[in-house]
């Protein structure tokens, strides 16, 4: 099955990130420009490529790159926007129901310039894991409940500049 976005355009980077769980496929297009150049979007499909649902952030802005990372559980879609500006390039993560409703925005409680929170995301039935590979110049990982509460921050005990800790994350 070949899947293409119904409104796809050259340069959208459709497929930059992909996740599959159960009968759903999630596809990120972080350079989609619905809300400005590089604002980004995410698409949800059934395994056979039907049932397209397009998701964009309610506060989308150019350069956010919403959809740079995606994850999916049986009930939730997790979307990273590592260049969201809260402050500049601090990043954010969004949580949605599989039908694109129920948006919850998560930002790091200590979000700072160029943290790139949302560079990587993972989700289990109970937790969301978020990589912020630019945080404090060495990177960090955050863990949340699936409703966005209960932040826990993890840093490497031997952290040094340019480690990029949080470049990738996983959970089970």
């Amino acid at each position: 099955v070949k899947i293409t976005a119904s409104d796809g355009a050259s340069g959208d980077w459709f497929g930059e990130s992909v996740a599959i769980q159960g009968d759903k496929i999630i596809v990120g297009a972080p350079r989609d420009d619905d809300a400005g150049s590089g604002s980004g979007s995410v698409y949800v499909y059934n395994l056979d490529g039907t049932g397209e649902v397009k998701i964009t952030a309610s506060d989308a802005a150019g350069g956010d790159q919403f959809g740079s990372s995606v994850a999916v559980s049986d009930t939730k879609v997790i979307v990273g926007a590592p260049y969201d500006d809260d402050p500049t390039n601090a990043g954010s993560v969004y949580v949605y129901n599989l039908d694109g409703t129920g948006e919850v925005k998560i930002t790091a409680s200590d979000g700072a310039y160029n943290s790139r929170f949302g560079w990587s995301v993972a989700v289990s039935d109970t937790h969301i894991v978020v990589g912020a590979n630019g945080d404090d110049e060495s990177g960090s990982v955050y863990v949340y409940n699936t409703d966005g509460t209960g932040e826990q921050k993890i840093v490497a005990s031997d952290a040094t500049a340019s480690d990029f800790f949080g470049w990738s994350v996983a959970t089970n």
Side-chain angles (χ1 to χ4, degrees):
V1 173
K2 180 178 181 178
I3 299 174
T4 57
S6 61
D7 64 348
S10 177
D12 283 353
W13 290 14
F14 181 84
E16 169 75 6
S17 58
V18 176
I20 299 173
Q21 173 65 31
D23 64 350
K24 296 296 180 187
I25 299 172
I26 313 303
V27 181
R31 297 285 180 141
D32 190 16
D33 59 4
D34 287 2
S37 180
S39 57
S41 62
V42 167
Y43 299 81
V44 180
Y45 297 95
N46 297 319
L47 283 180
D48 64 1
T50 64
E52 179 182 274
V53 174
K54 183 174 183 177
I55 302 172
T56 57
S58 61
D59 61 348
D64 287 351
Q65 293 191 25
F66 176 91
S68 290
S69 59
V70 296
V72 61
S73 71
D74 289 334
T75 59
K76 300 291 181 188
V77 175
I78 313 302
V79 182
Y83 297 101
D84 189 20
D85 294 333
D86 295 325
T88 303
N89 296 340
S92 58
V93 168
Y94 297 80
V95 181
Y96 298 91
N97 297 319
L98 291 176
D99 63 1
T101 63
E103 179 183 271
V104 174
K105 182 176 181 177
I106 303 171
T107 57
S109 62
D110 61 350
Y113 171 78
N114 218 26
S115 292
R116 295 185 300 275
F117 178 86
W119 183 268
S120 55
V121 294
V123 63
S124 71
D125 290 338
T126 58
H127 291 93
I128 297 167
V129 182
V130 180
N133 69 2
D135 186 43
D136 292 330
E137 297 183 7
S138 59
S140 59
V141 171
Y142 296 80
V143 180
Y144 298 89
N145 298 319
T146 53
D147 63 0
T149 63
E151 179 182 273
Q152 299 174 32
K153 183 176 181 178
I154 302 168
V155 296
S157 60
D158 61 349
T160 60
S162 300
D163 282 350
F164 300 108
F165 185 75
W167 186 275
S168 61
V169 295
T171 187
N172 62 6

